[in-house]
Amino acid sequence: DTAVSQTPKYLVTQMGNDKSIKCEQNLGHDTMYWYKQDSKKFLKIMFSYNNKELIINETVPNRFSPKSPDKAHLNLHINSLELGDSAVYFCASSQDPVSQQFFGPGTRLTVL
Amino acid sequence: AQSVSQHNHHVILSEAASLELGCNYSYGGTVNLFWYVQYPGQHLQLLLKYFSGDPLVKGIKGFEAEFIKSKFSFNLRKPSVQWSDTAEYFCAVTSFSGGYNKLIFGAGTRLAVHP
């Protein structure tokens, strides 16, 4: 059984489009995260939600809007995509904000 | 702000060689420390973690790491690497901010093991 899943795995789109990436965890965790891994493999946290409430927002452009419909899901919507948004986006979850995080398989976004 | 430094960006070894990857962090308070591995085309997996107690931590696949508080270091070691250890290795530290912990990653070390 997949613990943290993301869809789609690959996403290729044109500049200016709006796209969403979905994340689901079946671990019963309260906390979920979005990370961005750039072309140099550098990983940086973008957002974190705890019990559906935003607790971390790392000065990400407001074109990025996370949404948590319930504790098991954290989706990432990106408006007006730019070339610099090309990256691998990883979702993660943890039991609470201080516990070990479990990562999803990643979504490779390519903006043309 | 909290930061994590991994000194080796790219390491090339032959099978059976010993491995040590450096990791230093900047935060002076209580920290939780992690090493994650990312095999080619795969997601991040936890190798080992340190929260408290014995500073020498044993992880999966024969990896270990030593927390040296005085040096702000958490170096990863393996006595004899295998070709299957070829991967990207990330050191991470929790940073307490705004009432919550967040994970700060180092830039990663790419390990290539040749048969």
Side-chain angles (χ1 to χ4, degrees):
Chain A
D1 287 340
T2 303
V4 183
S5 59
Q6 295 178 227
T7 53
K9 190 169 182 180
Y10 300 96
L11 184 54
V12 181
T13 188
Q14 300 283 337
M15 278 176 53
N17 284 351
D18 304 337
K19 290 293 178 186
S20 292
I21 308 172
K22 296 186 176 182
C23 177
E24 177 180 1
Q25 54 96 1
N26 62 6
L27 297 168
H29 288 168
D30 287 343
T31 312
M32 295 185 73
Y33 311 81
W34 276 110
Y35 288 85
K36 180 180 179 181
Q37 186 177 44
D38 63 24
S39 58
K40 296 182 179 178
K41 298 285 191 178
F42 186 61
L43 263 165
K44 192 171 190 302
I45 190 166
M46 300 172 68
F47 301 103
S48 177
Y49 271 71
N50 187 53
N51 284 318
K52 302 194 298 174
E53 289 189 17
L54 182 67
I55 58 171
I56 294 174
N57 182 345
E58 285 292 296
T59 58
V60 178
N62 58 15
R63 297 182 295 105
F64 290 78
S65 52
K67 287 210 171 33
S68 182
D70 55 59
K71 288 198 304 183
H73 296 84
L74 181 62
N75 303 325
L76 183 64
H77 188 76
I78 315 170
N79 289 327
S80 303
L81 278 156
E82 300 176 357
L83 293 176
D85 297 331
S86 294
V88 181
Y89 292 83
F90 285 98
C91 178
S93 74
S94 61
Q95 183 62 54
D96 52 53
V98 302
S99 297
Q100 176 190 334
Q101 296 178 27
F102 293 82
F103 285 79
T107 295
R108 183 176 293 276
L109 171 66
T110 303
V111 182
L112 303 174
Chain B
Q2 173 80 283
S3 66
V4 180
S5 298
Q6 291 183 240
H7 316 296
N8 319 100
H9 296 294
H10 201 174
V11 173
I12 302 173
L13 294 173
S14 298
E15 275 194 316
S18 64
L19 170 72
E20 180 158 2
L21 301 182
C23 174
N24 285 89
Y25 60 93
S26 62
Y27 185 57
T30 302
V31 291
N32 294 334
L33 298 151
F34 305 83
W35 275 97
Y36 283 87
V37 61
Q38 186 176 23
Y39 296 104
Q42 295 189 28
H43 62 283
L44 285 156
Q45 300 172 45
L46 184 69
L47 268 181
L48 46 79
K49 61 186 177 186
Y50 172 81
F51 282 13
S52 64
D54 188 346
L56 186 60
V57 181
K58 303 265 185 217
I60 60 171
K61 305 185 180 185
F63 286 90
E64 66 177 31
E66 186 174 12
F67 169 52
I68 303 179
K69 190 174 181 179
S70 60
K71 294 185 178 180
F72 298 88
S73 71
F74 190 55
N75 292 353
L76 180 72
R77 299 194 292 249
K78 185 170 183 178
S80 177
V81 294
Q82 301 171 317
W83 176 79
S84 58
D85 293 324
T86 295
E88 192 95 22
Y89 292 81
F90 294 92
C91 180
V93 176
T94 51
S95 170
F96 191 74
S97 172
Y100 295 97
N101 281 335
K102 61 182 180 182
L103 210 50
I104 307 295
F105 283 88
T109 296
R110 180 167 295 183
L111 172 66
V113 180
H114 295 304

